[in-house]
């Protein structure tokens, strides 16, 4: 029984090969080749390649300012910049206001200092005159030590 099965395999292979050769399309012998003649000219050749994929930058930087504020100008994304070049501008109004307030505070404190100096000089003069009245012959009453 096994020998019969083995006999059918080569017979089936011969039938498949015969069917392939008999049923395949035959090439046409009088098939004309189509071509066109054109004159060559000089010019630019534009080549466009399209495809799918991922682009990634060589280096990614996260830029954080030292201070916060409202952005009034920002460099374009992807724009090349050089070291030291401005890439963003903040609204200067809050900073100008803070500077004016700090300068006013400095002037107020300088005025307070001058008032304290004058009060100290006045108190020293008053004390010196009182001591001179109490001890007329002492050296501290004359302002010498």
């Amino acid at each position: 029984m096994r020998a019969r099965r083995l006999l059918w395999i080569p017979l089936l292979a011969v039938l498949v090969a015969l069917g392939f050769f008999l049923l395949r399309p035959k090439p046409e012998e009088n098939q004309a080749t189509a071509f066109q003649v054109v004159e060559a000219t000089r010019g630019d050749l534009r080549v466009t390649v399209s495809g799918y994929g991922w682009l990634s930058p060589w280096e990614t930087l996260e830029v954080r300012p030292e201070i916060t504020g409202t952005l009034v100008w920002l460099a374009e994304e992807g724009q090349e910049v050089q070291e030291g070049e401005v890439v963003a501008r903040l609204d200067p109004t809050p900073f100008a206001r803070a500077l004016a307030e700090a300068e006013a505070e400095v002037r107020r404190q300088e005025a307070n200092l001058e008032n304290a100096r004058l009060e100290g000089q006045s108190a020293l003069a008053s004390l010196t005159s009182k001591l001179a009245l109490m001890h007329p012959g002492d050296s501290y009453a004359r302002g010498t030590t």
Side-chain angles (χ1 to χ4, degrees), residues 57 59-66 74 87:
E59 187 175 1
T60 302
L61 299 175
E62 184 175 334
V63 178
R64 284 190 227 151
E66 293 178 2
L74 183 63
V87 294

Side-chain angles (χ1 to χ4, degrees), residues 5-6 33 59 85-86 94 103 129:
R5 280 190 203 167
L6 292 177
T33 305
E59 187 175 1
E85 188 175 344
V86 176
E103 288 172 341
S129 66

Side-chain angles (χ1 to χ4, degrees), residues 24-70:
R24 74 175 178 186
K26 296 181 182 176
E28 295 181 24
E29 292 180 18
N30 292 336
Q31 186 177 19
T33 305
F35 61 91
Q36 183 181 7
V37 177
V38 293
E39 185 177 328
T41 59
R42 287 188 180 264
D44 293 337
L45 180 63
R46 182 184 302 226
V47 177
T48 304
V49 178
S50 63
Y52 298 97
W54 294 95
L55 293 177
S56 60
W58 289 320
E59 187 175 1
T60 302
L61 299 175
E62 184 175 334
V63 178
R64 284 190 227 151
E66 293 178 2
I67 55 174
T68 59
T70 304

